[in-house]
Amino acid sequence: MRIENNLLTGDKISIQNSPNISGKFSADLPDTIVIHFTGGRSARSSANWLCNPSAKASAHVVIGKEGEIIQLVPFDTIAWHAGRSQWQDRSGLNKYSIGIEIDNAGRLEQREQGYYTWFGTKVADEWVTRAVHRNESLHSYWHAFTEAQISATEQLCILLKEVYSIKTIVGHEEISPGRKVDPGPAFPLDKLRNSLIYNDRQSEDTDAFDDVLTPTATVTADALNIRSAPKASANKIAPPLAEGTSVTILERRGNWARVSTEIEGWVSSKFLKLNNKS
Ligand SMILES: [Zn+2]
């Protein structure tokens, strides 16, 4: 798989043009990938819908269950996949991002006879994932992704990162929480992000610690939340750490650090200042 003139070429690639686009990205963009599930019946039916003017929606690609990729919008052109959305200091993510839609039915309904898609198709048990969504607190049932889809998504993200200097991979559920649940907990989003985005940064970050056996740092925020996992939606496990609290850094992952003080938990490393070696 290669990218030539902002279009994929290679095996299992087809092109179908969507009219649902804005102009070209600004300079230095896109720098973000947004992952979605289609919530549809098949990659072909979703691609057809996203090429229909009345859909008023599109994406750069749709990835099918065999790992086949249908490209709908060139990668230098703004597609309509994110809608109302916010990430850090940005809103309206379409103008910053490449949208990847993965053919998947989404959340399933549990009935007496088994698990069903929202459009009424029964899903075999081996394609059902029971999990808690990152924006929710109770488990529910989700349509599993195929290995071929997950692998194709990863390969595409690696390629996009090489060609477009991608710095961020997010799920639609993270930029439009409350409104969207895709790609949902059946997709290994954190794993993808950790291997493609954070591993690079982590190796840069940890260089600074090479000669420090147990780095310690001081909290610089008034009140720094300490959480059960390295993400903003994870539970707070104790009252916030006060400014000036000294912590030992046990582990780092992206912009998060697992620290130990009277308790152990994850904090945003933006609000830590490393202490000088004694
Ligand atoms: Zn979406």
Side-chain angles (χ1 to χ4, degrees), residues 3-4 36 38 46 48 55-56 67 80 89 116 119 121 131 134-136 182 194 226 232 237 244 246 255 266 271-272:
I3 295 175
E4 286 172 10
H36 305 259
T38 58
S46 296
N48 288 343
K56 294 186 165 57
W80 302 347
D89 56 349
Y116 288 79
F119 45 86
T121 303
R134 73 176 75 232
N135 299 343
E136 301 172 355
D182 59 315
N194 284 339
I226 182 160
I237 58 171
S246 182
N255 294 324
W266 290 90
F271 304 107
L272 293 178

Side-chain angles (χ1 to χ4, degrees), residues 237-253:
I237 58 171
L241 305 179
E243 186 175 358
T245 303
S246 182
V247 299
T248 301
I249 297 176
L250 304 172
E251 180 185 353
R252 289 173 63 110
R253 206 177 293 171

Side-chain angles (χ1 to χ4, degrees), residues 258-271:
R258 187 164 66 86
V259 300
S260 152
T261 158
E262 283 164 21
I263 43 163
E264 274 184 29
W266 290 90
V267 300
S268 168
S269 55
K270 280 185 290 189
F271 304 107

Side-chain angles (χ1 to χ4, degrees), residues 57-74:
S58 63
H60 290 88
V61 299
V62 177
I63 301 184
K65 293 189 176 70
E66 310 293 328
E68 76 276 24
I69 303 179
I70 308 169
Q71 183 164 6
L72 309 180
V73 176

Side-chain angles (χ1 to χ4, degrees), residues 133-155:
H133 192 282
R134 73 176 75 232
N135 299 343
E136 301 172 355
S137 52
L138 300 175
H139 76 258
S140 53
Y141 300 92
W142 301 83
H143 190 198
F145 293 82
T146 69
E147 283 298 322
Q149 283 179 311
I150 293 169
S151 163
T153 305
E154 185 179 15
Q155 293 311 309

Side-chain angles (χ1 to χ4, degrees), residues 1-16 60-63 67-75 98 100 152 155-157 159-160 163-164:
M1 183 164 61
R2 295 191 315 279
I3 295 175
E4 286 172 10
N5 296 325
N6 302 295
L7 292 174
L8 290 167
T9 64
D11 291 345
K12 294 184 164 187
I13 308 290
S14 58
I15 307 286
Q16 184 177 351
H60 290 88
V61 299
V62 177
I63 301 184
E68 76 276 24
I69 303 179
I70 308 169
Q71 183 164 6
L72 309 180
V73 176
F75 295 125
I98 289 170
I100 297 179
Q155 293 311 309
L156 177 57
C157 288
L159 182 59
L160 289 170
V163 178
Y164 299 99

